[in-house]
Amino acid sequence: MAVFAERVVALTGETKTHAASLPLLDPRSADEETMTLETTLKQWNADLINDEGLPGSVAQEFIDTDWFGLPPATEEEIGAAETRLGVRLPASYREFLLFANGWVYPGNDMDFPGSLRSCSEIGWFKDEDADWIRAWIDTDPGIPVSDDEYFVYGDDQDPVIMRREYLASCLKISESSEGGVYLLNPNVLRVCS
């Protein structure tokens, strides 16, 4: 069983779009911040409540409760997803799923792909979006990316700097929206700072 690294790829359909990193999956947060996952998600949620794109984007029940996370997954549900996918999910992503088994509103612009999926909905990017992968590889094979460029996280991370050869082995953890999607990359087996 493969183990996913603590790396999120925010893939966008336009090469000049800058996508934001998910706060809980930024590997720097464990070492550089004392915020817990719960604190981080509550802050993210509070920021999103004031997002001008919110009305009409989210079911009223989420607006009424001021919470965009879905009920927590169980260890059994996560285990079933791992068995189905044949991989062990990274600890930070498992922690997120145990706190919120999906997220209905990550934001409403090109910086945020669609909602984060529950563990029963995550799947292989190649199975769902093979045409998208071919388009990226066939139309723009890209320039080789050094480790110094690739292992940049947080605000300085540029989603255009990616290793296209990894796309076929990524796990899709969000819905596609506005030409963007969040992927977990199993090819990165260590976290670099």
Side-chain angles (χ1 to χ4, degrees):
M1 189 176 272
V3 179
F4 276 99
E6 310 284 330
R7 170 115 175 126
V8 171
V9 175
L11 177 64
T12 59
E14 295 186 22
T15 59
K16 297 300 179 191
T17 301
H18 181 73
S21 297
L22 288 174
L24 65 133
L25 293 173
D26 179 351
R28 295 176 312 141
S29 62
D31 296 330
E32 297 177 12
E33 297 176 17
T34 58
M35 292 179 68
T36 65
L37 173 67
E38 180 178 358
T39 303
T40 300
L41 289 177
K42 285 181 177 179
Q43 180 60 54
W44 189 28
N45 191 81
D47 293 344
L48 291 171
I49 288 170
N50 298 316
D51 190 279
E52 63 187 38
L54 181 62
S57 297
V58 178
Q60 191 62 43
E61 66 185 275
F62 294 102
I63 295 171
D64 291 345
T65 62
D66 289 338
W67 183 246
F68 303 122
L70 297 176
T74 64
E75 284 286 352
E76 292 77 20
E77 289 171 318
I78 295 171
E82 291 175 331
T83 299
R84 175 177 54 84
L85 297 165
V87 297
R88 175 117 172 119
L89 298 170
S92 63
Y93 187 56
R94 292 177 111 258
E95 183 182 4
F96 166 73
L97 292 171
L98 289 168
F99 190 82
N101 189 16
W103 196 265
V104 297
Y105 187 72
N108 193 37
D109 59 31
M110 282 299 288
D111 284 352
F112 298 97
S115 61
L116 298 176
R117 293 175 167 188
S118 68
C119 59
S120 65
E121 299 170 317
I122 56 179
W124 294 107
F125 189 49
K126 67 180 179 183
D127 294 340
E128 297 183 37
D129 295 298
D131 291 342
W132 201 359
I133 294 170
R134 268 193 306 281
W136 269 92
I137 292 172
D138 292 347
T139 60
D140 183 8
I143 299 169
V145 177
S146 71
D147 283 354
D148 287 341
E149 294 171 301
Y150 190 72
F151 292 110
V152 175
Y153 296 94
D155 293 338
D156 295 329
Q157 183 177 354
D158 185 346
V160 175
I161 296 176
M162 65 177 172
R163 293 180 172 158
R164 288 160 172 78
E165 65 271 20
Y166 290 167
L167 292 177
S169 57
C170 286
L171 190 62
K172 185 175 179 179
I173 63 168
S174 77
E175 298 304 322
S176 301
S177 176
E178 300 290 331
V181 65
Y182 283 116
L183 306 171
L184 286 180
N185 183 352
N187 296 289
V188 180
L189 299 177
R190 60 188 168 82
V191 176
C192 297
S193 56

